[in-house]
Amino acid sequence: MDSLHRYWVNEHEVNISEDEKSRLKCRTITFLGKFEPVKWSCRAPLPNGKLCPRRDRFKCPFHGPIVPRDNMGNPENPSDASESSSATPLQPSMEMEWGSPS
């Protein structure tokens, strides 16, 4: 490593082989859990009339828990409908108007 500044390099230049450099750039992480394939997509109804295409295992970040749905996007179990409606984020109200400071 050639440098014009003495603080950027070691006094004793270290030679690192290309193989060692590639090992320093690569990080291996061992997955210890059990792989669970994605069973189905979220399929919650969207405002444009389509169904949510996200394929998450347990919970859609936009629509809550993944539940079985019919072709129209409605939950198959009535108990799932109450859970998914409570998990839906609230829409901001457009009715609030801020007055000018007086």
Side-chain angles (χ1 to χ4, degrees), residues 28-95:
T28 305
I29 299 173
T30 305
F31 179 69
L32 298 176
K34 179 185 170 192
F35 177 75
E36 295 185 24
V38 179
K39 295 178 184 173
W40 52 69
S41 59
C42 174
R43 297 179 47 92
L46 298 174
N48 64 1
K50 295 182 179 181
L51 300 178
C52 179
R54 284 193 59 104
R55 295 185 57 87
D56 296 297
R57 286 180 177 78
F58 305 110
K59 180 179 177 185
C60 175
F62 304 110
H63 305 108
I66 304 292
V67 296
R69 297 180 182 269
D70 61 9
N71 292 338
M72 300 299 293
N74 300 319
E76 291 181 357
N77 299 334
S79 61
D80 293 337
S82 62
E83 284 182 23
S84 64
S85 65
S86 64
T88 306
L90 299 174
Q91 297 294 328
S93 176
M94 299 302 288
E95 296 173 6

Side-chain angles (χ1 to χ4, degrees), residues 1-3 9-16:
M1 294 185 186
D2 295 330
S3 175
V9 293
N10 192 355
E11 290 180 11
H12 308 288
E13 191 169 321
V14 178
N15 292 328
I16 299 175

